[in-house]
Amino acid sequence: VAKQRNLRVSAYDPGGDEHSPTRLALLGDLRRALRGDELVLHYQPKVSLSTGEVCGAEALVRWQHPERGLIPPSEFIPLAENTGLIGPLTRHVLNLALLQQRRWIDNGSPLKLAVNLSARNLLDERLDVMVAELLAEHGVPARWLTLEVTESAIMTDPKRARELLERIAEQGIEIAIDDFGAGYTSLGQLKHLPVTELKIDLSYVTTMDTDTSNSLIVRSVIELGHNLGLSAVAEGVESAAILTGLTSFTCDVAQGYHLSRPLPVDAFDRWCASWPGL
Ligand code: C2E
Ligand code: CA
Ligand code: CA
Ligand code: CA
């Protein structure tokens, strides 16, 4: 197994030689994947710590490669970012997410669905128009969509990012800051961004039960979020102890393996149907 894994990692090393044959083959494969149905979304539930109910889900992309099996996003998102394919990939993912949201709406069980953006997507002046068109095409009200952007993505070009995010937020789409605490968003910036949610970086959350300073950071970020009128979300909730700690810090929402791993849609629907609440 270890050997197989090494082979796969080396074949997909996003930092590898730009022109290596494997990389070029993979790039061709990714172009094909964007035209076909090899990219799939898995959904991870978000649970409200005040009601105990499922309050949303994050869509996470995987590549079902016909020969290589399921490839995680860490192995092809960087490739897409470096080859100009991230725009089409984000559009593809949004389309899949909204198709699914449409099914959930038709079943009477819509939920707030979060989709991830890459740093480069924030440099695309027409992103707001693209998202608006897809929402209209699928007849999905904007309030069911959240876009997650990392601090570092915003910091690439803060002014431009803020203007674009404002045009997106004006439509009624929510914006979450992902991996908060890992980057360098100045608090001054944060105040002026049209965001509604802070997602605490998972590295602090997964270790908060054993590392006192990380626990303090988590508590401070929740407090900061609340002081700015934002909802605080913790991802990387891997144990009951972490969940209890977050509840005592009045964190709003939890996401993590202790609740559920990201699941293919059928398994996700079954998980939600049998969720007993907290
Ligand atoms: P992220 O947006 O920070 O997503 C959270 C990652 O943490 C996911 O990994 C998720 O499966 C994982 N995770 C969830 N709960 C736990 C937990 O309790 N413990 C631990 N250790 N990990 C947990 P995944 O799905 O492999 O995605 C990795 C990254 O790839 C994402 O990080 C995001 O940056 C990127 N990504 C995923 N899907 C997309 C996409 O559709 N578009 C773009 N641009 N990026 C994506
Ligand atoms: Ca995310
Ligand atoms: Ca994150
Ligand atoms: Ca991340």
Side-chain angles (χ1 to χ4, degrees), residues 22-39:
T22 43
R23 195 186 153 101
L24 290 176
L26 182 68
L27 186 55
D29 286 358
L30 187 56
R31 290 211 171 87
R32 181 193 65 208
L34 287 171
R35 289 192 306 267
D37 54 7
E38 292 173 29
L39 297 185

Side-chain angles (χ1 to χ4, degrees), residues 51-102:
T51 68
E53 304 282 315
V54 179
C55 59
E58 179 174 3
L60 294 152
V61 70
R62 278 93 181 84
W63 184 359
Q64 185 68 65
H65 193 287
E67 290 109 39
R68 319 232 176 210
L70 204 64
I71 305 177
S74 56
E75 294 182 32
F76 62 92
I77 296 284
L79 179 68
E81 285 172 339
N82 295 329
T83 54
L85 288 180
I86 194 65
L89 186 142
T90 297
R91 188 181 194 285
H92 191 96
V93 166
L94 267 166
N95 189 52
L96 291 175
L98 294 176
L99 262 172
Q100 182 54 50
Q101 182 68 277
R102 184 68 242 169

Side-chain angles (χ1 to χ4, degrees), residues 114-255:
V115 171
N116 291 282
L117 296 182
S118 278
R120 298 219 170 189
N121 294 136
L122 294 187
L123 301 175
D124 174 0
E125 297 286 349
R126 286 183 49 83
L127 183 73
D128 56 329
V129 176
M130 189 263 277
V131 179
E133 283 172 357
L134 283 174
L135 285 169
E137 185 181 319
H138 294 289
V140 171
R143 69 193 147 88
W144 294 117
L145 180 64
T146 300
L147 295 177
E148 297 193 357
V149 295
T150 62
E151 295 190 76
S152 52
I154 291 167
M155 294 316 285
T156 310
D157 189 342
K159 182 168 178 285
R160 195 161 157 188
R162 179 163 48 81
E163 288 167 1
L164 179 64
L165 292 176
E166 266 161 13
R167 297 201 302 276
I168 289 173
E170 272 163 16
Q171 301 174 37
I173 298 161
E174 296 207 5
I175 311 282
I177 306 272
D178 207 354
D179 302 350
F180 187 81
Y184 314 93
T185 316
S186 77
L187 299 180
Q189 289 282 348
L190 190 60
K191 214 171 54 181
H192 297 295
L193 287 167
V195 300
T196 53
E197 181 177 311
L198 280 191
K199 288 191 92 170
I200 308 161
D201 192 62
L202 157 156
S203 64
Y204 302 111
V205 178
T206 53
T207 52
M208 64 179 268
D209 53 337
T210 53
D211 184 319
T212 317
S213 60
N214 284 353
S215 170
L216 268 170
I217 290 173
V218 169
R219 199 172 79 183
S220 308
V221 172
I222 293 167
E223 213 175 283
L224 168 72
H226 288 170
N227 286 338
L228 291 169
L230 307 177
S231 156
V233 179
E235 61 181 344
V237 179
E238 292 184 349
S239 69
I242 295 174
L243 193 67
T244 305
L246 290 166
T247 307
S248 75
F249 293 164
T250 67
C251 184
D252 301 286
V253 175
Q255 180 184 344

